[in-house]
Amino acid sequence: LLWSRKSDFEVAGLYSFFGDNEAATWITLARPGMSDDDVSELRKKIRKDLPEIAGVRVYFDEDSEEGGNTRRFSVRFFGQDSAVLQRLATEAERRLEAIDGIEDITSGSTAARQEIQVRIDRAKALKLGLSAQDLSDIFSFTLGGMRLRRFNAGDHEVETWMALRMEDRTNLDDLKKLQIRTTAGQDVLLGDIAAFELIRSSEAIRRENRKVRVAVRANYEGKEWDKIREQIAGQMDAFDLPPGYSWSWDDRILEQDSQGKEMGVNFLLALLLVYIVMASLFESLAQPFAILFSIPFAVTGVAWFLAITRTPFNMMAQIGLLILMGIVVNNGIVLLDHMNQLRKRGLTREEAVLQAGRDRLRAILMTASTTVIGLLPLAIGGSNVGGLFYFPLARTVMGGLISSTFLTLIVLPYIDTLVEMVADWFRKLWRKSAPTARVTPAPVVATVTEG
Protein backbone atom coordinates (compact mmCIF):
# COMPACT_ATOMS: atom_id res chain seq x y z
CA LEU A 1 0.00 0.00 0.00
CA LEU A 2 2.73 2.49 0.94
CA TRP A 3 4.75 1.84 -2.21
CA SER A 4 1.74 1.86 -4.54
CA ARG A 5 0.80 5.31 -3.22
CA LYS A 6 4.28 6.67 -2.59
CA SER A 7 3.48 9.95 -4.32
CA ASP A 8 0.45 10.56 -2.09
CA PHE A 9 2.33 9.61 1.09
CA GLU A 10 5.57 11.42 0.05
CA VAL A 11 7.56 8.20 0.32
CA ALA A 12 11.12 8.12 -1.00
CA GLY A 13 12.08 4.65 0.24
CA LEU A 14 10.86 1.73 2.33
CA TYR A 15 12.71 -0.84 4.39
CA SER A 16 10.83 -3.69 6.09
CA PHE A 17 12.01 -6.32 8.56
CA PHE A 18 10.48 -8.67 11.09
CA GLY A 19 11.40 -10.51 14.27
CA ASP A 20 9.71 -12.27 17.18
CA ASN A 21 6.11 -11.07 17.47
CA GLU A 22 7.00 -7.85 15.70
CA ALA A 23 7.46 -6.42 12.20
CA ALA A 24 8.29 -2.90 11.09
CA THR A 25 8.53 -0.78 7.95
CA TRP A 26 10.81 2.25 7.95
CA ILE A 27 9.62 5.12 5.77
CA THR A 28 12.10 7.55 4.24
CA LEU A 29 10.26 10.76 3.38
CA ALA A 30 10.74 12.48 0.05
CA ARG A 31 10.55 15.97 1.58
CA PRO A 32 13.25 16.59 4.20
CA GLY A 33 12.74 18.93 7.10
CA MET A 34 8.97 18.49 7.35
CA SER A 35 7.34 20.42 10.18
CA ASP A 36 5.54 18.74 13.06
CA ASP A 37 2.17 19.67 11.58
CA ASP A 38 3.07 18.16 8.20
CA VAL A 39 4.26 14.90 9.75
CA SER A 40 1.14 14.74 11.90
CA GLU A 41 -1.13 15.16 8.89
CA LEU A 42 0.83 12.53 6.99
CA ARG A 43 0.44 10.07 9.86
CA LYS A 44 -3.31 10.67 9.93
CA LYS A 45 -3.51 10.10 6.19
CA ILE A 46 -1.56 6.84 6.29
CA ARG A 47 -3.36 5.61 9.41
CA LYS A 48 -6.71 6.15 7.73
CA ASP A 49 -5.83 4.03 4.66
CA LEU A 50 -3.86 1.22 6.31
CA PRO A 51 -5.61 -2.17 6.08
CA GLU A 52 -6.87 -3.86 9.23
CA ILE A 53 -5.14 -7.16 9.91
CA ALA A 54 -6.61 -9.62 12.41
CA GLY A 55 -4.47 -10.02 15.51
CA VAL A 56 -2.10 -7.21 14.47
CA ARG A 57 -1.80 -3.79 16.07
CA VAL A 58 -0.31 -1.12 13.81
CA TYR A 59 1.23 2.03 15.25
CA PHE A 60 3.76 4.71 14.32
CA ASP A 61 7.11 5.01 16.03
CA GLU A 62 10.30 6.99 15.56
CA ASP A 63 13.90 5.91 15.23
CA SER A 64 14.60 7.14 18.78
CA GLU A 65 13.67 5.05 21.77
CA GLU A 66 12.54 7.96 23.88
CA GLY A 67 10.61 9.95 21.29
CA GLY A 68 11.64 13.26 19.86
CA ASN A 69 9.83 16.53 19.74
CA THR A 70 6.55 17.99 20.89
CA ARG A 71 4.69 15.42 18.75
CA ARG A 72 6.41 12.35 20.16
CA PHE A 73 6.73 11.89 23.90
CA SER A 74 7.06 9.25 26.55
CA VAL A 75 6.52 8.99 30.29
CA ARG A 76 8.86 6.77 32.25
CA PHE A 77 8.35 4.90 35.50
CA PHE A 78 11.25 3.95 37.78
CA GLY A 79 11.36 1.34 40.51
CA GLN A 80 12.72 -2.07 41.48
CA ASP A 81 9.97 -4.58 40.69
CA SER A 82 9.32 -5.15 36.98
CA ALA A 83 5.84 -6.55 37.66
CA VAL A 84 4.80 -3.39 39.54
CA LEU A 85 6.19 -1.19 36.78
CA GLN A 86 4.28 -3.17 34.15
CA ARG A 87 1.04 -2.59 36.04
CA LEU A 88 1.81 1.12 36.26
CA ALA A 89 2.58 1.23 32.53
CA THR A 90 -0.69 -0.55 31.70
CA GLU A 91 -2.65 1.93 33.81
CA ALA A 92 -0.77 4.84 32.20
CA GLU A 93 -1.76 3.52 28.76
CA ARG A 94 -5.39 3.42 29.81
CA ARG A 95 -5.27 7.01 31.09
CA LEU A 96 -3.50 8.29 27.97
CA GLU A 97 -6.09 6.65 25.72
CA ALA A 98 -8.76 8.82 27.36
CA ILE A 99 -7.02 12.05 26.24
CA ASP A 100 -8.06 13.43 22.86
CA GLY A 101 -5.38 13.61 20.20
CA ILE A 102 -3.04 10.95 21.63
CA GLU A 103 -2.35 8.03 19.30
CA ASP A 104 0.11 5.15 18.87
CA ILE A 105 0.43 4.35 22.58
CA THR A 106 3.04 1.67 23.21
CA SER A 107 5.06 0.40 26.14
CA GLY A 108 7.16 -2.53 27.21
CA SER A 109 4.00 -4.45 28.09
CA THR A 110 2.65 -4.24 24.52
CA ALA A 111 5.93 -5.61 23.15
CA ALA A 112 6.08 -8.46 25.69
CA ARG A 113 6.16 -12.06 24.54
CA GLN A 114 3.94 -14.89 25.71
CA GLU A 115 5.83 -17.70 27.34
CA ILE A 116 5.07 -20.78 29.41
CA GLN A 117 6.44 -20.73 32.92
CA VAL A 118 6.88 -24.10 34.64
CA ARG A 119 6.83 -24.21 38.44
CA ILE A 120 8.17 -27.44 39.89
CA ASP A 121 6.71 -28.79 43.11
CA ARG A 122 10.02 -29.26 44.88
CA ALA A 123 8.58 -31.40 47.68
CA LYS A 124 7.17 -33.97 45.22
CA ALA A 125 10.34 -33.90 43.14
CA LEU A 126 12.54 -34.60 46.17
CA LYS A 127 10.31 -37.49 47.27
CA LEU A 128 10.72 -39.03 43.84
CA GLY A 129 14.49 -38.47 43.91
CA LEU A 130 14.54 -35.86 41.15
CA SER A 131 17.01 -33.02 41.42
CA ALA A 132 16.90 -29.61 39.75
CA GLN A 133 19.64 -30.74 37.35
CA ASP A 134 17.57 -33.79 36.32
CA LEU A 135 14.57 -31.63 35.49
CA SER A 136 16.73 -29.12 33.62
CA ASP A 137 18.18 -31.90 31.46
CA ILE A 138 14.70 -33.23 30.75
CA PHE A 139 13.47 -29.82 29.57
CA SER A 140 16.59 -29.27 27.50
CA PHE A 141 16.14 -32.59 25.69
CA THR A 142 12.36 -32.24 25.28
CA LEU A 143 12.41 -28.78 23.76
CA GLY A 144 15.77 -28.75 22.03
CA GLY A 145 17.06 -32.28 21.66
CA MET A 146 20.51 -33.73 22.24
CA ARG A 147 23.53 -33.40 20.03
CA LEU A 148 25.25 -36.73 19.28
CA ARG A 149 28.65 -37.61 17.93
CA ARG A 150 29.23 -37.03 14.25
CA PHE A 151 28.26 -39.91 11.96
CA ASN A 152 31.06 -41.11 9.72
CA ALA A 153 29.63 -41.60 6.24
CA GLY A 154 32.95 -42.67 4.67
CA ASP A 155 34.17 -39.62 2.78
CA HIS A 156 32.50 -37.09 5.07
CA GLU A 157 30.88 -36.67 8.50
CA VAL A 158 27.28 -35.77 9.26
CA GLU A 159 26.05 -33.99 12.36
CA THR A 160 23.31 -35.92 14.17
CA TRP A 161 20.73 -34.95 16.77
CA MET A 162 18.34 -36.99 18.83
CA ALA A 163 15.05 -35.25 19.60
CA LEU A 164 11.34 -35.85 19.92
CA ARG A 165 9.26 -35.58 16.81
CA MET A 166 7.92 -32.08 16.17
CA GLU A 167 4.31 -33.27 16.45
CA ASP A 168 5.10 -34.67 19.92
CA ARG A 169 6.30 -31.32 21.33
CA THR A 170 4.13 -28.68 19.68
CA ASN A 171 1.55 -27.99 22.40
CA LEU A 172 1.29 -27.73 26.14
CA ASP A 173 -0.56 -31.04 26.61
CA ASP A 174 2.35 -32.94 25.06
CA LEU A 175 4.68 -31.28 27.53
CA LYS A 176 2.48 -32.20 30.47
CA LYS A 177 2.34 -35.87 29.38
CA LEU A 178 6.09 -36.18 29.20
CA GLN A 179 7.15 -39.31 31.14
CA ILE A 180 10.00 -39.09 33.63
CA ARG A 181 11.82 -42.13 35.00
CA THR A 182 12.67 -41.66 38.67
CA THR A 183 15.66 -43.19 40.50
CA ALA A 184 13.35 -45.85 41.89
CA GLY A 185 12.36 -46.91 38.38
CA GLN A 186 8.90 -45.35 38.61
CA ASP A 187 7.45 -43.43 35.63
CA VAL A 188 5.64 -40.18 36.42
CA LEU A 189 4.19 -37.48 34.21
CA LEU A 190 5.71 -34.01 34.22
CA GLY A 191 2.26 -32.53 34.76
CA ASP A 192 2.02 -34.41 38.10
CA ILE A 193 4.96 -32.58 39.65
CA ALA A 194 4.80 -29.21 37.85
CA ALA A 195 2.33 -26.37 37.27
CA PHE A 196 2.23 -24.62 33.90
CA GLU A 197 1.31 -20.94 33.56
CA LEU A 198 1.04 -18.78 30.44
CA ILE A 199 2.47 -15.31 31.17
CA ARG A 200 3.65 -12.23 29.29
CA SER A 201 7.31 -11.50 29.73
CA SER A 202 9.31 -8.46 28.73
CA GLU A 203 11.91 -8.91 26.05
CA ALA A 204 14.45 -6.94 28.08
CA ILE A 205 14.79 -5.23 31.44
CA ARG A 206 16.14 -1.69 31.13
CA ARG A 207 17.78 0.08 34.03
CA GLU A 208 18.74 3.70 34.58
CA ASN A 209 20.59 4.97 37.65
CA ARG A 210 20.30 1.50 39.22
CA LYS A 211 16.52 1.45 38.86
CA VAL A 212 14.34 -0.56 36.51
CA ARG A 213 12.69 1.64 33.90
CA VAL A 214 9.51 1.18 31.88
CA ALA A 215 8.52 3.78 29.26
CA VAL A 216 5.09 4.47 27.76
CA ARG A 217 5.41 6.21 24.39
CA ALA A 218 2.78 7.95 22.27
CA ASN A 219 2.19 10.53 19.52
CA TYR A 220 0.19 13.72 20.01
CA GLU A 221 -1.72 14.71 16.87
CA GLY A 222 -3.23 17.98 18.11
CA LYS A 223 -2.04 21.59 18.20
CA GLU A 224 -2.25 22.45 21.93
CA TRP A 225 0.73 20.55 23.25
CA ASP A 226 1.30 22.78 26.29
CA LYS A 227 -2.26 22.27 27.47
CA ILE A 228 -2.19 18.52 26.85
CA ARG A 229 1.17 18.25 28.58
CA GLU A 230 -0.29 19.74 31.74
CA GLN A 231 -3.18 17.29 31.51
CA ILE A 232 -0.81 14.34 31.10
CA ALA A 233 1.30 15.51 34.03
CA GLY A 234 -1.84 15.74 36.16
CA GLN A 235 -2.82 12.18 35.23
CA MET A 236 0.65 10.88 36.09
CA ASP A 237 0.79 12.82 39.37
CA ALA A 238 -2.53 11.22 40.36
CA PHE A 239 -0.84 7.79 40.56
CA ASP A 240 -0.56 6.37 44.06
CA LEU A 241 3.02 5.28 43.54
CA PRO A 242 4.58 2.88 46.06
CA PRO A 243 7.59 4.09 48.06
CA GLY A 244 10.71 4.10 45.90
CA TYR A 245 8.80 4.52 42.62
CA SER A 246 8.63 7.68 40.51
CA TRP A 247 7.83 8.95 37.01
CA SER A 248 9.32 11.54 34.67
CA TRP A 249 9.21 12.77 31.08
CA ASP A 250 11.65 11.41 28.54
CA ASP A 251 15.14 12.84 28.18
CA ARG A 252 14.36 14.95 25.12
CA ILE A 253 11.47 16.81 26.72
CA LEU A 254 13.56 17.43 29.83
CA GLU A 255 16.38 18.64 27.60
CA GLN A 256 14.00 20.96 25.74
CA ASP A 257 12.86 22.44 29.05
CA SER A 258 16.46 22.99 30.10
CA GLN A 259 17.34 24.53 26.74
CA GLY A 260 14.31 26.82 26.94
CA LYS A 261 15.46 28.17 30.31
CA GLU A 262 19.01 28.62 29.04
CA MET A 263 17.75 30.44 25.96
CA GLY A 264 15.75 32.81 28.15
CA VAL A 265 18.89 33.67 30.11
CA ASN A 266 20.84 34.08 26.85
CA PHE A 267 18.23 36.51 25.49
CA LEU A 268 18.45 38.66 28.63
CA LEU A 269 22.26 38.67 28.53
CA ALA A 270 22.22 39.61 24.84
CA LEU A 271 19.86 42.52 25.52
CA LEU A 272 22.06 43.73 28.37
CA LEU A 273 25.28 43.54 26.36
CA VAL A 274 23.74 45.25 23.33
CA TYR A 275 22.42 48.03 25.56
CA ILE A 276 25.83 48.55 27.21
CA VAL A 277 27.58 48.82 23.85
CA MET A 278 25.04 51.34 22.51
CA ALA A 279 25.04 53.36 25.72
CA SER A 280 28.83 53.74 25.48
CA LEU A 281 28.56 54.65 21.79
CA PHE A 282 25.87 57.31 22.15
CA GLU A 283 27.01 58.44 25.62
CA SER A 284 23.37 58.34 26.58
CA LEU A 285 21.13 56.10 28.66
CA ALA A 286 17.92 57.06 26.87
CA GLN A 287 18.66 56.64 23.14
CA PRO A 288 19.64 52.93 23.37
CA PHE A 289 16.13 52.21 24.63
CA ALA A 290 14.74 53.54 21.36
CA ILE A 291 17.03 51.29 19.33
CA LEU A 292 16.06 48.26 21.41
CA PHE A 293 12.56 48.64 19.99
CA SER A 294 14.00 47.29 16.73
CA ILE A 295 13.98 43.85 18.34
CA PRO A 296 10.16 43.71 18.74
CA PHE A 297 9.95 44.88 15.12
CA ALA A 298 12.05 41.88 14.16
CA VAL A 299 10.03 39.43 16.26
CA THR A 300 6.89 40.45 14.35
CA GLY A 301 8.57 39.66 11.04
CA VAL A 302 9.92 36.36 12.38
CA ALA A 303 6.45 35.20 13.42
CA TRP A 304 4.88 36.07 10.06
CA PHE A 305 7.74 34.71 7.96
CA LEU A 306 7.87 31.37 9.80
CA ALA A 307 4.08 31.06 9.59
CA ILE A 308 4.02 31.79 5.85
CA THR A 309 6.85 29.33 5.09
CA ARG A 310 5.46 26.76 7.59
CA THR A 311 8.79 26.58 9.38
CA PRO A 312 8.93 25.09 12.91
CA PHE A 313 10.18 27.30 15.71
CA ASN A 314 12.74 24.81 16.99
CA MET A 315 16.15 25.16 18.58
CA MET A 316 17.79 26.38 15.35
CA ALA A 317 15.13 29.08 15.01
CA GLN A 318 15.79 30.18 18.59
CA ILE A 319 19.50 30.46 17.82
CA GLY A 320 18.58 32.54 14.77
CA LEU A 321 16.50 34.83 16.99
CA LEU A 322 19.46 35.23 19.33
CA ILE A 323 21.72 36.16 16.40
CA LEU A 324 19.05 38.53 15.11
CA MET A 325 19.18 40.57 18.31
CA GLY A 326 22.69 41.70 17.42
CA ILE A 327 21.93 42.33 13.73
CA VAL A 328 18.71 44.35 13.70
CA VAL A 329 20.07 47.09 15.97
CA ASN A 330 22.68 47.98 13.34
CA ASN A 331 20.16 49.90 11.22
CA GLY A 332 18.98 51.86 14.24
CA ILE A 333 22.57 52.69 15.22
CA VAL A 334 23.40 53.96 11.73
CA LEU A 335 20.24 56.10 11.60
CA LEU A 336 20.41 57.64 15.09
CA ASP A 337 24.16 58.25 14.96
CA HIS A 338 23.78 60.31 11.79
CA MET A 339 20.77 62.07 13.31
CA ASN A 340 22.86 63.08 16.33
CA GLN A 341 25.60 64.45 14.06
CA LEU A 342 23.07 66.55 12.16
CA ARG A 343 21.64 67.99 15.37
CA LYS A 344 25.14 68.98 16.49
CA ARG A 345 25.41 70.98 13.27
CA GLY A 346 22.42 73.04 14.32
CA LEU A 347 19.47 71.26 12.69
CA THR A 348 16.26 70.91 14.61
CA ARG A 349 14.98 67.49 15.67
CA GLU A 350 12.43 67.28 12.85
CA GLU A 351 14.92 68.42 10.24
CA ALA A 352 17.54 65.95 11.50
CA VAL A 353 15.04 63.06 11.33
CA LEU A 354 14.12 63.80 7.71
CA GLN A 355 17.68 64.43 6.60
CA ALA A 356 19.05 61.31 8.33
CA GLY A 357 16.34 59.18 6.74
CA ARG A 358 17.21 60.47 3.27
CA ASP A 359 20.98 60.12 3.78
CA ARG A 360 20.97 56.61 5.30
CA LEU A 361 18.07 55.02 3.37
CA ARG A 362 20.24 53.52 0.64
CA ALA A 363 22.92 52.25 3.04
CA ILE A 364 20.36 50.56 5.31
CA LEU A 365 18.52 48.93 2.41
CA MET A 366 21.79 47.71 0.86
CA THR A 367 23.09 46.10 4.06
CA ALA A 368 19.75 44.44 4.80
CA SER A 369 19.23 43.18 1.24
CA THR A 370 22.74 41.72 0.94
CA THR A 371 22.28 39.83 4.22
CA VAL A 372 18.88 38.47 3.14
CA ILE A 373 20.17 37.42 -0.29
CA GLY A 374 23.23 35.79 1.26
CA LEU A 375 21.01 33.67 3.52
CA LEU A 376 18.69 32.63 0.68
CA PRO A 377 20.59 29.43 -0.33
CA LEU A 378 20.66 28.30 3.30
CA ALA A 379 16.95 29.08 3.71
CA ILE A 380 15.80 26.99 0.76
CA GLY A 381 18.41 24.22 1.03
CA GLY A 382 18.52 21.05 3.08
CA SER A 383 21.84 21.52 4.85
CA ASN A 384 21.97 19.80 8.21
CA VAL A 385 24.40 18.59 10.83
CA GLY A 386 23.46 15.75 13.15
CA GLY A 387 19.86 15.80 11.92
CA LEU A 388 19.41 19.54 12.68
CA PHE A 389 18.46 21.56 9.61
CA TYR A 390 19.76 25.10 9.15
CA PHE A 391 16.83 26.56 7.21
CA PRO A 392 14.85 27.59 10.36
CA LEU A 393 17.84 29.70 11.46
CA ALA A 394 18.18 31.37 8.05
CA ARG A 395 14.46 32.05 7.70
CA THR A 396 14.30 33.51 11.21
CA VAL A 397 17.09 35.98 10.45
CA MET A 398 15.58 36.85 7.05
CA GLY A 399 12.06 37.50 8.35
CA GLY A 400 13.25 39.55 11.29
CA LEU A 401 15.66 41.61 9.21
CA ILE A 402 13.08 42.43 6.51
CA SER A 403 10.47 43.67 8.97
CA SER A 404 12.89 45.52 11.22
CA THR A 405 14.46 47.34 8.26
CA PHE A 406 11.22 48.98 7.13
CA LEU A 407 9.81 49.52 10.62
CA THR A 408 13.11 51.02 11.77
CA LEU A 409 13.04 53.62 8.99
CA ILE A 410 9.39 54.51 9.63
CA VAL A 411 8.75 54.05 13.35
CA LEU A 412 12.16 54.41 15.04
CA PRO A 413 12.40 58.24 14.62
CA TYR A 414 9.06 58.67 16.38
CA ILE A 415 10.08 56.32 19.18
CA ASP A 416 13.38 58.16 19.57
CA THR A 417 11.55 61.49 19.77
CA LEU A 418 9.19 60.09 22.40
CA VAL A 419 12.05 58.62 24.42
CA GLU A 420 13.98 61.89 24.36
CA MET A 421 10.87 63.84 25.43
CA VAL A 422 10.38 61.48 28.36
CA ALA A 423 14.08 61.73 29.23
CA ASP A 424 13.93 65.56 29.14
CA TRP A 425 10.88 65.50 31.38
CA PHE A 426 12.68 63.30 33.91
CA ARG A 427 15.74 65.53 33.82
CA LYS A 428 13.61 68.61 34.52
CA LEU A 429 11.81 66.79 37.28
CA TRP A 430 15.13 65.75 38.79
CA ARG A 431 16.45 69.31 38.74
CA LYS A 432 13.30 70.65 40.36
CA SER A 433 13.40 68.01 43.09
CA ALA A 434 17.00 68.80 43.97
CA PRO A 435 17.32 70.52 47.40
CA THR A 436 18.23 74.24 47.34
CA ALA A 437 20.68 75.78 49.82
CA ARG A 438 19.16 78.35 52.22
CA VAL A 439 21.05 81.71 52.34
CA THR A 440 21.34 83.17 55.87
CA PRO A 441 21.85 86.98 55.86
CA ALA A 442 25.00 88.13 57.59
CA PRO A 443 24.49 90.10 60.85
CA VAL A 444 24.95 93.88 60.68
CA VAL A 445 27.70 95.08 63.06
CA ALA A 446 27.77 98.80 63.99
CA THR A 447 31.07 100.26 65.10
CA VAL A 448 31.10 103.46 67.19
CA THR A 449 34.31 105.43 67.33
CA GLU A 450 34.84 108.06 70.05
CA GLY A 451 36.88 111.03 69.19
Side-chain angles (χ1 to χ4, degrees), residues 123-140:
K124 290 183 179 180
L126 288 176
K127 288 181 180 180
L128 296 173
L130 297 173
S131 64
Q133 183 63 43
D134 296 333
L135 296 173
S136 175
D137 293 341
I138 292 171
F139 277 110
S140 176

Side-chain angles (χ1 to χ4, degrees), residues 32-37 39 68-71 252 255-257 259-260 263-264 267 302-303 306-307 309-323 383-397:
M34 295 179 65
S35 65
D36 294 340
D37 293 333
V39 176
N69 43 39
T70 57
R71 300 299 186 186
R252 289 197 177 184
E255 185 178 357
Q256 287 175 1
D257 294 341
Q259 290 175 348
M263 273 298 174
F267 288 147
V302 169
L306 294 184
T309 58
R310 304 186 69 180
T311 305
F313 187 72
N314 53 16
M315 180 55 62
M316 296 303 294
Q318 295 180 25
I319 296 176
L321 187 60
L322 186 63
I323 297 174
S383 302
N384 70 92
V385 173
L388 293 176
F389 289 90
Y390 285 131
F391 67 86
L393 185 151
R395 294 176 185 178
T396 299
V397 176

Side-chain angles (χ1 to χ4, degrees), residues 154-174:
D155 57 344
H156 65 280
E157 294 183 344
V158 179
E159 291 190 1
T160 57
W161 285 76
M162 183 175 64
L164 297 178
R165 294 180 303 176
M166 186 62 66
E167 57 267 23
D168 293 334
R169 52 188 173 98
T170 55
N171 55 56
L172 185 59
D173 291 334
D174 295 333

Side-chain angles (χ1 to χ4, degrees), residues 1 6 16 28 33 47 68 77 83 110-111 129 134 162 209 239 255 260-263 278 284 351 369-370 398 451:
L1 173 68
K6 59 181 181 180
S16 299
T28 303
R47 191 184 291 115
F77 293 91
T110 56
D134 296 333
M162 183 175 64
N209 295 328
F239 271 99
E255 185 178 357
K261 294 179 181 178
E262 292 179 0
M263 273 298 174
M278 291 189 298
S284 170
E351 293 173 345
S369 60
T370 52
M398 290 173 62

Side-chain angles (χ1 to χ4, degrees), residues 88-367:
L88 293 174
T90 303
E91 176 62 19
E93 290 183 50
R94 187 189 66 82
R95 297 187 181 188
L96 290 177
E97 288 176 353
I99 301 177
D100 295 335
I102 295 183
E103 302 286 348
D104 307 320
I105 303 174
T106 60
S107 68
S109 60
T110 56
R113 299 178 299 178
Q114 287 187 340
E115 64 182 28
I116 298 174
Q117 193 172 83
V118 182
R119 299 182 181 276
I120 304 296
D121 190 334
R122 298 191 177 187
K124 290 183 179 180
L126 288 176
K127 288 181 180 180
L128 296 173
L130 297 173
S131 64
Q133 183 63 43
D134 296 333
L135 296 173
S136 175
D137 293 341
I138 292 171
F139 277 110
S140 176
F141 172 73
T142 303
L143 301 177
M146 179 186 297
R147 185 174 182 176
L148 303 178
R149 295 180 62 182
R150 289 175 176 268
F151 175 75
N152 190 346
D155 57 344
H156 65 280
E157 294 183 344
V158 179
E159 291 190 1
T160 57
W161 285 76
M162 183 175 64
L164 297 178
R165 294 180 303 176
M166 186 62 66
E167 57 267 23
D168 293 334
R169 52 188 173 98
T170 55
N171 55 56
L172 185 59
D173 291 334
D174 295 333
L175 189 61
K176 291 180 179 180
K177 294 177 181 179
L178 181 65
Q179 289 187 352
I180 302 174
R181 177 64 60 87
T182 65
T183 57
Q186 180 182 2
D187 292 333
V188 296
L189 299 179
L190 181 60
D192 295 335
I193 61 173
F196 298 83
E197 184 181 2
L198 185 64
I199 64 171
R200 295 180 64 86
S201 176
S202 300
E203 295 181 348
I205 297 177
R206 295 177 174 84
R207 288 181 171 85
E208 184 175 338
N209 295 328
R210 300 182 180 181
K211 288 187 176 182
V212 181
R213 184 200 69 194
V214 173
V216 180
R217 294 173 289 274
N219 284 321
Y220 175 63
E221 306 292 11
K223 299 182 180 298
E224 299 179 350
W225 166 245
D226 294 334
K227 181 179 178 181
I228 294 298
R229 177 176 172 175
E230 294 179 359
Q231 186 176 353
I232 295 173
Q235 293 284 354
M236 298 301 107
D237 290 336
F239 271 99
D240 187 13
L241 297 176
Y245 290 78
S246 60
W247 81 273
S248 74
W249 294 102
D250 59 74
D251 291 336
R252 289 197 177 184
I253 292 183
L254 296 178
E255 185 178 357
Q256 287 175 1
D257 294 341
S258 176
Q259 290 175 348
K261 294 179 181 178
E262 292 179 0
M263 273 298 174
V265 176
N266 293 335
F267 288 147
L268 293 177
L269 289 176
L271 283 174
L272 179 61
L273 294 176
V274 169
Y275 176 80
I276 292 175
V277 171
M278 291 189 298
S280 61
L281 173 64
F282 290 107
E283 298 180 355
S284 170
L285 298 178
Q287 273 196 330
F289 278 110
I291 301 178
L292 289 180
F293 277 94
S294 302
I295 297 176
F297 299 159
V299 173
T300 304
V302 169
W304 280 103
F305 199 78
L306 294 184
I308 293 173
T309 58
R310 304 186 69 180
T311 305
F313 187 72
N314 53 16
M315 180 55 62
M316 296 303 294
Q318 295 180 25
I319 296 176
L321 187 60
L322 186 63
I323 297 174
L324 195 62
M325 295 175 64
I327 298 177
V328 296
V329 298
N330 294 339
N331 296 333
I333 292 175
V334 171
L335 184 63
L336 291 189
D337 182 64
H338 188 55
M339 190 186 306
N340 292 338
Q341 294 178 5
L342 293 176
R343 293 186 63 183
K344 290 179 180 179
R345 298 175 187 174
L347 274 69
T348 63
R349 180 179 298 170
E350 290 76 11
E351 293 173 345
V353 168
L354 295 176
Q355 186 64 34
R358 286 191 292 265
D359 295 343
R360 294 293 181 259
L361 175 61
R362 177 176 296 183
I364 292 175
L365 292 179
M366 288 179 62
T367 55

